[in-house]
Amino acid sequence: MTVQTTTFGMLNKPSRVLSVTLWVAQILLALLFGGAGYNHAFASLDTLAQMGATWALQAPIWLVRFIGIAELAGTAGIILPALTRIRPGLTPLAALGFAVIQLLAIPVHIVRSEFGVLPFNCVLLALSLFVLWGRGRKARIQPRG
């Protein structure tokens, strides 16, 4: 983690609570987007529709698969760079990617009158933005030295 200075030049480290909370958020995002990504990348469109993703029946198959691959890439990016400390700056970028996915998904669900999933989308968006802020500014992880 980075050591930050205050306005008085004193050193302070991000709190342990913040670091643990960020890891919990990263793991939750990895689990949720990993499961969705696997389904979007590999499940049949009929299976997706049975699971509630009826939008997939009206979307081009390449778009559904692309979303799944993006979610799977983000799943790796939200955990592995921070965990290994190899290019940890990729973790906030993965969080940004998850936020973009949600910012695009929310209007689709609104247009389709799928209001029941919007709270879940908003939670995913909030978690993504929290990790983006936390790992990008407040509690950066230092690369291996």
Side-chain angles (χ1 to χ4, degrees), residues 11-13 27 30 33 35 43 45 50 55 65 67 70 74 76 91 96 104 109 112 119 121 132 137 141:
L11 296 178
N12 67 349
K13 292 174 74 173
I27 291 166
F33 276 100
L45 297 182
Q50 290 172 356
W55 63 268
R65 300 304 186 218
I67 291 168
T91 294
L96 176 62
L104 294 171
H109 291 304
R112 294 178 49 81
N121 291 124
L132 174 61
R137 294 201 179 259
I141 295 179

Side-chain angles (χ1 to χ4, degrees), residues 14-32:
S15 75
R16 182 149 176 79
V17 172
L18 177 60
S19 295
V20 169
T21 306
L22 283 165
W23 275 112
V24 169
Q26 287 170 250
I27 291 166
L28 282 172
L29 286 169
L31 291 172
L32 295 168

